[in-house]
Amino acid sequence: MNLNDKKFATTENKSGLSSEETIFHYFQNGTTITGEYKGGAVREGFIIGKQTGDSKIELLYQCLTTEGELKAGESKGTISETPSGKLKLEFDWNWLNGDLSGGKSEYMEIG
């Protein structure tokens, strides 16, 4: 499964920063994943990562919030395909600065 030029919206993220207003745009070249995200509490965000298996990915991310805070985190996740053919991402994540909290999040392909 490839994330190149795919956009996702947050569907579940109780303890995180992203919301349904946050849009993630991924690019993939081989196993290298990059991306950007913004919306909701995120003014600007960037992603770098890699695909570690057919449906497994690892990401590092950083953002500037609308409150002016710099945040950085890491996540490990899976890519799956829904019955409708859309991709779904599920992550276990944690912040690398601030309170170092973490959680689980889910994202659905849009567009």
Side-chain angles (χ1 to χ4, degrees), residues 45-80:
F46 299 96
I47 299 166
I48 184 80
K50 62 184 180 178
Q51 189 165 2
T52 59
D54 188 43
S55 64
K56 303 277 187 202
I57 59 176
E58 294 180 11
L59 304 176
L60 294 172
Y61 49 90
Q62 58 189 4
C63 70
L64 177 64
T65 70
T66 55
E67 300 290 318
E69 185 179 11
L70 288 170
K71 301 281 287 176
E74 64 182 348
S75 63
K76 291 186 178 183
T78 58
I79 309 168
S80 59

Side-chain angles (χ1 to χ4, degrees), residues 13-16 61 74 92-95 99-104:
N13 193 17
K14 288 181 184 157
S15 57
Y61 49 90
E74 64 182 348
D92 287 311
W93 61 267
N94 63 276
W95 293 114
D99 66 8
L100 305 181
S101 65
K104 294 182 179 298

Side-chain angles (χ1 to χ4, degrees), residues 1-33:
M1 285 181 252
N2 192 294
L3 296 178
N4 193 49
D5 204 23
K6 303 279 188 185
K7 291 184 179 180
F8 290 81
T10 308
T11 55
E12 181 71 41
N13 193 17
K14 288 181 184 157
S15 57
L17 190 61
S18 67
S19 66
E20 64 277 350
E21 298 171 327
T22 312
I23 303 299
F24 294 77
H25 191 183
Y26 288 95
F27 301 92
Q28 186 169 349
N29 184 359
T31 58
T32 303
I33 298 168

